[in-house]
Each structure stands twice: as C-alpha cells, then as structure tokens.
C-alpha cells in the first residue's frame, strides 16, 4: 500500500550538532557521521536498517522504504497489518515523537499481476504530459514510465525486470504502480486536499480509502495509444484534429502556441473520436483501475475500512 516515507520532527539537538563537531557521535543509540559540503558540516547522517537518519540543526528526519524495512525487499506485497507492525517497531525505537512526526513525502503503490510489456508501450501520457523512460540494465533499456509534476511523481514499471537486474532473481510477471506525493503541496490542493499529517493518520479508517482513491485517480488519468481507422471519419476537421492531437509532440507544441480555449476544444473532440472510433484491446485504464482497487482491498484486509463502497 505504501513504500517510501519521509518524516521529520523537532529535537533538542545534542551539543555535537550545535558545535558542528567534525567527528562521529552517538545519538538515540545511533552512530552519526558529519556530512560536508564545500568543507562545511551541513548535517549528520546515520542508518537504521535501510532507513536514512538525518539531523539538521534541531530537525530529525527519517526517510526510506518502509516496505523494504519490514521485508528486507520490496517486490512482494506490503499490507496494512504490516504497516501497523512497522509503526509499532519504529515507535518503540524512537518514542512518541515519531507517532506525531510530520510526513513530508509519501509513496503509495501496489503490484498487480500483469505483463508489463503489454501495458508500458501503450502509455503515451497523463493529462497531456509525456512520460519519461525508466532505464536499467547493462544496456540501459526502458523498463517503465514516469511522470514528474510539481507535487507528484507517477511511476509504472516492470518489477520483474527490476528484481532480475538488481537481485538476480526471477519472479512472476508484476506491474508496479506508484504515486509519490509531496505532502505540503498536496494538503493545499483545491479538490480533496490530503489530510494525512503523521504516522497516526496511517492507522485511521480513512487511510485505505485514501490509497484506493489516489491510485484509482492516477490510473484513470493515464492515456493509452489506440488504433483509429481514419477512413471511419467523415469530416475533414476531425481528421485534422486526430492527426494533430494524436501525436504527443505535435500536441504539446500546439498547446504552447494555441489559444487555451481552442486547445481544450480540440483535445475534447480528439478524446471523443478516440472513444467512438478507436479499435483497441479492452480499455487499459479501466483494467488497471480494477486491478489496483482489488489489490489495495486485499492489502487492506484487517484495516477499519477494506474498500471503497
């Protein structure tokens, strides 16, 4: 249900931090080392398992994959019950301040049983934005797509390929979908602002609903290539719109130059043409939305709220 989490809280810094000590020291039972930039100590860093611990003045930060912290890997599933166990373990180690710490970045996601090579080549955009390739392996081959936006980063990638490349292990076909959220900005969004503040909020009934709705919105915004038979169109204007808006490079160039109202009108008509005249496999957006909803419902078993009604 989730993967990477970054959170912070205020501390009374040890004297080594105040004095900008240039050697290692222990704090909360962890050995911290100075981190330099341009010859100056700017922070102190340590590790707890795979989690990165950082002290900057009077701020304590923890970041990393809770999934990997719990399982020592992150190619399987990570359920709500396991999130609870992780919170209990971290609370035991860091105390009450951890439970009330501010979550500044949160990645939600899940694995679904689909062949990535049948999905990834057909992804062409999200809200009119082109994807970038995720590259890996000795040949730097594309194994996924990502979209970087102001407060979000979306990823869809071949988990089987990643595990084979990083761990030299063979796992079944798995498509991984992730939505990384910068919480400060997302809490201010006009529609459905995020109300998750601390680890305590991950234990509330709303959390399962939150994961499902955020991921479902993500999958429904994905745009996939479709085959449209131009000869099916009977208007020259529709053919022009399809040719213009069907090519992502042309669409983005036109968007920069055209009147916004004209662009939106042509995009709307293009979407209508895709809906009414396209010939393709069963709708991939609906397929992914269904798979994601089913998977998060499964992972949420035992939580106060299992699925969207």
């Amino acid at each position: 249900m989730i993967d990477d989490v970054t959170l912070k809280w205020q501390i009374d810094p040890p004297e080594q931090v105040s004095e900008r000590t240039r050697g290692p020291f222990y704090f909360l039972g962890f050995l911290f080392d100075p981190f330099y930039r341009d010859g100056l100590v700017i922070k102190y860093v340590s590790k707890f398992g795979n989690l990165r611990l950082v002290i900057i003045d009077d701020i304590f930060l923890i970041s990393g994959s809770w999934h990997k912290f719990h399982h020592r890997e992150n190619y399987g599933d990570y359920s709500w019950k396991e999130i609870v166990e992780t919170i209990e373990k971290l609370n035991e180690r860091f105390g009450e301040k951890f439970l009330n710490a501010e979550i500044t970045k949160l990645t939600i996601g899940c694995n679904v049983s689909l062949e990535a090579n049948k999905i990834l080549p057909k992804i062409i955009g999200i809200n009119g934005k082109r994807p970038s390739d995720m590259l890996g392996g000795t040949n730097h081959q594309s194994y996924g797509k990502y979209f970087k936006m102001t407060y979000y980063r979306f990823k869809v990638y071949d988990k089987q390929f990643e595990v084979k490349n990083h761990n030299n292990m063979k796992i079944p076909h798995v498509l991984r979908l992730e939505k990384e959220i910068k919480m400060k900005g997302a809490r201010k969004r006009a529609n459905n602002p995020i109300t998750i503040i601390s680890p305590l909020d991950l234990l509330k009934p709303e959390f399962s609903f939150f994961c499902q709705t955020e991921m479902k919105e993500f999958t429904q915004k994905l745009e996939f290539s479709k085959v449209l038979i131009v000869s099916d169109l009977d208007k020259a204007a529709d053919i022009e719109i399809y040719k213009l808006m069907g090519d992502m490079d042309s669409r983005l160039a036109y968007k920069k130059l055209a009147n916004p109202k004209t662009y939106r009108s042509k995009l709307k008509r293009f979407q209508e043409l895709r809906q009414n005249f396209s010939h393709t496999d069963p709708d991939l957006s609906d397929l992914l939305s269904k798979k994601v909803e089913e998977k998060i419902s499964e992972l949420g078993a035992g939580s106060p709220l299992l699925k969207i009604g």
Side-chain angles (χ1 to χ4, degrees):
M1 290 174 70
I2 66 174
D3 193 19
D4 281 17
V5 182
T6 300
L7 45 83
K8 67 178 183 179
W9 68 84
Q10 196 167 24
I11 60 170
D12 292 323
E15 62 180 17
Q16 292 93 335
V17 174
S18 302
E19 296 172 359
R20 287 293 190 268
T21 297
R22 302 178 77 86
F25 62 89
Y26 281 94
F27 181 67
L28 297 178
F30 297 101
L31 181 64
F32 281 84
D33 292 304
F35 184 94
Y36 295 88
R37 180 174 295 162
D38 298 328
L40 300 175
V41 177
I42 61 169
K43 59 187 175 182
Y44 296 89
V45 298
S46 187
K47 299 276 283 186
F48 181 31
N50 68 294
L51 301 181
R52 178 177 170 85
L53 313 180
V54 178
I55 301 174
I56 303 176
D57 297 324
D58 63 344
I59 299 298
F60 193 90
L61 300 101
I62 304 179
S63 62
S65 169
W66 284 18
H67 189 160
K68 189 175 290 186
F69 178 78
H70 186 85
H71 283 289
R72 300 182 184 275
E73 49 84 0
N74 65 347
Y75 50 80
D77 289 332
Y78 184 48
S79 70
W80 181 82
K81 288 183 178 180
E82 291 167 333
I83 293 172
V84 172
E85 292 171 4
T86 302
I87 291 174
E88 289 174 345
K89 184 174 182 178
L90 293 174
N91 177 54
E92 181 180 339
R93 190 65 184 80
F94 294 102
E96 185 178 344
K97 284 192 174 183
F98 164 80
L99 288 178
N100 294 287
E102 179 189 354
I103 297 175
T104 60
K105 189 182 293 184
L106 176 67
T107 299
I108 58 176
C110 64
N111 302 321
V112 294
S113 298
L114 289 171
E115 290 187 45
N117 60 9
K118 293 184 177 180
I119 305 291
L120 294 173
K122 297 182 180 180
I123 297 176
I124 61 171
I126 185 169
N127 284 350
K129 184 178 181 66
R130 291 185 66 183
S132 298
D133 287 321
M134 297 173 62
L135 303 177
T138 55
N139 296 322
H140 300 286
Q141 76 181 72
S142 175
Y143 70 96
K145 307 285 185 181
Y146 75 89
F147 303 85
K148 186 177 181 180
M149 299 182 180
T150 305
Y151 299 120
Y152 308 96
R153 183 190 292 263
F154 303 96
K155 293 181 182 179
V156 187
Y157 60 97
D158 185 345
K159 196 67 177 178
Q160 183 189 56
F161 174 89
E162 185 183 65
V163 172
K164 176 64 176 176
N165 185 50
H166 290 174
N167 306 90
N168 197 29
M169 289 177 55
K170 180 70 179 293
I171 65 171
H173 289 293
V174 173
L175 184 72
R176 175 77 179 176
L177 299 97
E178 294 179 356
K179 181 175 183 178
E180 179 188 288
I181 306 170
K182 294 180 180 178
M183 302 296 281
K184 185 176 180 179
R187 291 184 186 116
K188 298 178 181 179
R189 65 189 184 189
N191 297 321
N192 191 28
I194 291 176
T195 58
I196 291 173
I197 305 296
S198 73
L200 284 174
D201 293 315
L202 307 184
L203 307 178
K204 294 180 179 179
E206 297 87 348
F207 182 60
S208 291
F209 179 84
F210 164 78
C211 289
Q212 284 186 329
T213 53
E214 291 292 319
M215 291 300 293
K216 190 170 183 178
E217 179 189 41
F218 164 30
T219 55
Q220 289 179 337
K221 286 182 177 179
L222 284 172
E223 297 180 52
F224 297 91
S225 60
K226 294 185 177 182
V227 178
L228 186 149
I229 308 302
V230 177
S231 60
D232 289 347
L233 304 178
D234 57 7
K235 294 181 180 179
D238 283 344
I239 295 175
E240 291 174 355
I241 288 173
Y242 175 70
K243 290 294 186 181
L244 172 66
M245 306 302 282
D247 178 78
M248 189 60 72
D249 287 329
S250 298
R251 186 197 301 188
L252 294 175
Y254 180 76
K255 183 180 181 180
K256 291 180 180 178
L257 300 173
N259 178 284
K261 186 175 181 180
T262 303
Y263 171 80
R264 289 194 297 270
S265 176
K266 289 185 182 294
L267 180 60
K268 181 180 179 181
R269 181 55 184 161
F270 170 71
Q271 292 169 339
E272 290 172 350
L273 293 173
R274 279 166 47 92
Q275 182 69 32
N276 297 329
F277 294 96
S278 294
H279 302 268
T280 186
D281 298 329
D283 191 279
L284 293 177
S285 179
D286 287 345
L287 173 64
L288 283 179
S289 294
K290 182 179 179 181
K291 287 280 190 180
V292 165
E293 186 172 351
E294 289 174 349
K295 173 56 72 171
I296 293 184
S297 292
E298 174 191 328
L299 296 177
S303 68
L305 182 64
L306 300 185
K307 64 178 294 183
I308 298 173

